[in-house]
């Protein structure tokens, strides 16, 4: 399957790092380093409290902004939650949903993620839906079953037209923050499976247009070989996105 018609996206998930001054400084460095010839999308996902100040720095540039999570309710008595309107007001066009740290540390279920997906789509926010298997799933040959269950649950009741807004990020849990990247072959084979499962759900045209990012120890030193895979349409980067020079290199990946 050719990735020719899919616009690549390089996204930085800053997780629970940086105070506002540091976040603004990093965003400014990345904006300054951005090649004017860049043809693909670049996105940053700072903490909620840093969205406004990062937005001030990146507005007017091609850098897009995402929240790292989002409430499924629109407003009201939901202490600690942040609403779709609030993240849009802070400059977000995208929201990372179902990240493995939300699933495994904060016990988010596919049912909860499905509600967030529906709200994001309704409110015009592009979900970056994260899915991924644990090490024991991979070692016991259950990767595809786990991913299929997540996809079925997260897209339940969502039409093809609604789903066409969604970007998927495949992030094997065993590769996140461990320095253990999936080999380009393993990542590619898994992306092919995800695309074929989505084709079963929504048809071939949908699957051909669907962007699937890879995440898990993406570095300046391995991004080129990952991005050379036909079904890898971008990267969702954690640790390496906190270093201006390294993330600049990831953003400007080279065609090999
Ligand atoms: P690392 O790049 O630090 O492995 O994190 C990946 C990730 O979880 C991005 O969402």
């Amino acid at each position: 399957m050719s990735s020719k018609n899919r616009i690549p996206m390089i996204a930085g998930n800053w997780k629970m790092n940086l105070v506002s001054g540091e976040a603004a400084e990093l965003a400014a460095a990345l904006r300054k380093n951005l090649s004017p010839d860049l043809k693909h999308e670049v996105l940053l996902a700072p903490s909620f409290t840093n969205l406004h100040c990062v937005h001030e720095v990146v507005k007017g540039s091609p850098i897009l902004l995402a929240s790292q999570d989002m409430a499924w309710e629109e407003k009201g008595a939901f202490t600690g939650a942040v609403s779709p309107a609030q993240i849009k007001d802070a400059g977000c066009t995208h929201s990372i949903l179902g990240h493995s740290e939300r699933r495994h540390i904060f016990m988010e279920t596919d049912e909860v993620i499905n509600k967030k997906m529906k709200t994001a789509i309704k409110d015009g926010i592009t979900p970056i839906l994260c899915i991924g298997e644990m090490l024991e799933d991979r070692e016991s040959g259950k990767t595809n079953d786990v991913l299929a269950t997540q996809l079925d649950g997260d897209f339940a009741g969502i039409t093809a037209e609604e789903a066409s807004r969604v970007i998927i990020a495949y992030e094997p849990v065993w590769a996140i923050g461990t320095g253990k990247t999936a080999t380009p072959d393993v990542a590619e084979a898994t992306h092919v499976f995800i695309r074929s499962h989505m084709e079963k759900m929504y048809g071939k045209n949908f699957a051909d247009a669907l962007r699937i990012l890879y995440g898990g120890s993406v570095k300046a030193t391995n991004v080129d070989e990952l991005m050379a895979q036909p079904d890898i349409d971008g990267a969702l980067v954690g640790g390496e996105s906190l270093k201006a020079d390294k993330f600049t290199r990831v953003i400007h990946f080279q065609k090999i």
Side-chain angles (χ1 to χ4, degrees):
M1 196 171 290
S2 159
S3 59
K4 268 191 214 123
N5 300 324
R6 299 190 289 267
I7 299 169
M9 170 184 273
I10 303 292
N13 176 5
W14 290 351
K15 307 193 179 184
M16 198 175 71
N17 294 294
L18 310 174
V19 294
S20 59
E22 295 166 335
E25 201 178 310
L26 177 56
L30 294 170
R31 179 179 181 160
K32 184 166 143 284
N33 293 348
L34 218 57
S35 158
D37 301 326
L38 212 65
K39 297 282 187 293
H40 56 263
E41 292 184 346
V42 177
L43 173 142
L44 299 176
S47 303
F48 288 124
T49 51
N50 294 339
L51 284 170
H52 272 290
C53 73
V54 171
H55 184 230
E56 284 304 310
V57 173
V58 301
K59 72 180 175 202
S61 85
I63 299 176
L64 302 164
L65 216 54
S67 63
Q68 297 173 14
D69 184 29
M70 196 196 85
W72 71 80
E73 295 285 356
E74 301 291 351
K75 63 173 358 189
F78 301 98
T79 300
V82 180
S83 76
Q86 289 169 331
I87 67 163
K88 284 207 280 191
D89 180 59
C92 292
T93 48
H94 294 61
S95 183
I96 297 174
L97 299 180
H99 191 277
S100 73
E101 288 143 21
R102 302 288 330 159
R103 291 176 188 264
H104 299 294
I105 303 171
F106 298 100
M107 303 304 157
E108 270 189 30
T109 60
D110 287 314
E111 200 181 349
V112 163
I113 295 161
N114 177 245
K115 287 197 217 174
K116 292 182 176 183
M117 290 270 282
K118 287 175 172 161
T119 302
I121 293 164
K122 179 162 73 63
D123 290 352
I125 294 165
T126 300
I128 301 175
L129 171 70
C130 301
I131 58 168
E133 82 287 4
M134 312 275 281
L135 183 60
E136 56 266 33
D137 302 324
R138 167 104 8 215
E139 285 176 341
S140 58
K142 293 203 189 97
T143 297
N144 291 357
D145 292 344
V146 168
L147 298 176
T149 302
Q150 291 175 347
L151 290 170
D152 292 347
D154 300 343
F155 281 93
I158 294 176
T159 66
E161 195 191 328
E162 290 164 346
S164 65
R165 290 194 73 94
V166 179
I167 297 170
I168 291 178
Y170 167 59
E171 300 206 306
V173 179
W174 47 271
I176 295 177
T178 58
K180 246 173 119 176
T181 325
T183 62
D185 288 352
V186 166
E188 170 64 12
T190 314
H191 281 224
V192 167
F193 169 76
I194 294 167
R195 203 178 295 289
S196 68
H197 191 78
M198 297 308 287
E199 181 174 339
K200 272 193 226 151
M201 288 172 83
Y202 294 120
K204 178 151 174 37
N205 290 347
F206 177 93
D208 282 348
L210 173 69
R211 289 190 286 173
I212 308 175
L213 318 182
Y214 170 78
S217 298
V218 175
K219 309 273 178 216
T221 48
N222 62 21
V223 66
D224 298 344
E225 50 179 1
L226 287 161
M227 290 303 294
Q229 303 303 313
D231 285 275
I232 297 183
D233 305 313
L236 181 54
V237 186
E240 195 87 329
S241 73
L242 294 165
K243 306 167 202 153
D245 53 342
K246 296 278 180 16
F247 194 47
T248 297
R249 175 63 181 81
V250 173
I251 290 170
H252 300 87
F253 65 88
Q254 307 291 309
K255 289 214 163 65
I256 53 172

